[in-house]
Amino acid sequence: LGHEVWAYDVRREAFENDPVGVNIGLRTDDVDAAFVCVPEWAVWEAVALVANVPRIAVRSTTPPGTVDALNAKFGLRVSHIPEFLRERSWREDALRPHKIVIGECCREHGDFYEELFKPLGAPVVRVRPIESELIKLVNNAYLATQISFWNEVHKLCQHLGVDTHRIAEAVKLDPRVSKYGADFFGVPFGGKCLPKDLATLIRTYRERGLSPRLLEAVAEVNRELGGGPWY
């Protein structure tokens, strides 16, 4: 999009054969914004590394309240802008997102990020950081729920000698029914996001004394098929 980008990763091999053509190295001076895209456990350390950058946005998936806690601890103004990327099509999803969610620390920074992402042409939702963190978790938990739902249907179809695909194709004709998840049939959801994010959401419920019965059932169905999450 015409920006000068510097990228840093503790893994030296992270940028090998990368066709994007970014500058490699940790640069924090004369930088407009820093985007933290690291595993959840490394977010605190990564934010500390770029603490002197005027604008910081965490793109990692974090439990609700994490970014607020970061701001309170370091006295910073960190925002949360979750990524909605599929592993197999991450580049396409990054350039053609279906939505941009900005968990803004303040209106000033929210305006900056909205203008930055504007060329991508996606709808922009501006909320608080704790809300953007929850949006990402709920988004993936819903996708996981659909897969487990159809895997439960598939279990019954097998016992009845019915073709699950025939059932799904008819049900999907209802415009209220999502097509997602209606073709896994006996295959657990996996990857780096759905099991992890479902487990995080379940843990968030439990930490607040709430019972996530439906989400626990989604996880249990997936475990029966050999998938995660385990918590």
Side-chain angles (χ1 to χ4, degrees):
L1 300 177
H3 302 289
E4 181 183 5
V5 178
W6 287 77
Y8 173 74
D9 196 301
V10 294
R11 303 166 301 166
R12 293 186 178 183
E13 72 279 7
F15 300 106
E16 292 179 359
N17 303 317
D18 192 325
V20 175
V22 298
N23 303 298
I24 307 301
L26 180 59
R27 179 176 175 179
T28 60
D29 61 303
D30 193 26
V31 174
D32 294 317
F35 292 94
V36 175
C37 317
V38 299
E40 177 193 321
W41 56 266
V43 166
W44 288 76
E45 181 181 358
V47 168
L49 283 175
V50 295
N52 64 318
V53 175
R55 303 176 190 88
I56 303 171
V58 172
R59 305 220 66 191
S60 310
T61 303
T62 50
T66 300
V67 170
D68 287 341
L70 278 167
N71 287 326
K73 179 177 177 60
F74 294 118
L76 298 172
R77 290 196 293 173
V78 179
S79 298
H80 182 254
I81 306 177
E83 295 177 322
F84 297 91
L85 308 178
R86 295 168 294 180
E87 290 183 59
R88 296 181 180 178
S89 57
W90 63 268
R91 192 181 302 275
E92 176 186 350
D93 293 344
L95 295 175
R96 298 177 179 82
H98 51 78
K99 62 176 176 285
I100 300 293
V101 177
I102 300 174
E104 58 189 45
C105 60
C106 60
R107 180 171 293 277
E108 176 190 347
H109 286 200
D111 290 343
F112 172 86
Y113 293 123
E114 182 171 5
E115 188 65 25
L116 185 69
F117 285 103
K118 188 176 181 179
L120 298 179
V124 175
V125 180
R126 293 174 58 169
V127 294
R128 294 182 296 150
I130 194 171
E131 293 170 328
S132 64
E133 290 169 324
L134 189 55
I135 287 169
K136 175 59 185 293
L137 294 175
V138 171
N139 197 116
N140 279 352
Y142 181 69
L143 297 177
T145 298
Q146 293 181 85
I147 295 172
S148 283
F149 171 83
W150 282 108
N151 277 331
E152 280 287 85
V153 172
H154 180 62
K155 184 193 305 182
L156 179 60
C157 287
Q158 285 184 308
H159 278 270
L160 297 176
V162 173
D163 185 345
T164 316
H165 288 87
R166 290 172 64 93
I167 304 301
E169 288 304 314
V171 172
K172 287 189 296 183
L173 292 175
D174 188 324
R176 298 169 297 177
V177 175
S178 170
K179 295 177 173 57
Y180 185 83
D183 55 4
F184 282 71
F185 305 150
V187 179
F189 57 80
K192 298 177 181 178
C193 296
L194 296 192
K196 171 182 67 68
D197 292 353
L198 178 61
T200 298
L201 191 57
I202 289 173
R203 188 167 62 250
T204 301
Y205 272 81
R206 290 175 173 176
E207 289 172 350
R208 287 154 180 79
L210 302 173
S211 177
R213 289 178 293 178
L214 178 58
L215 298 178
E216 289 172 337
V218 170
E220 181 60 31
V221 169
N222 210 53
R223 281 199 298 271
E224 289 179 356
L225 295 172
W230 294 269
Y231 45 80

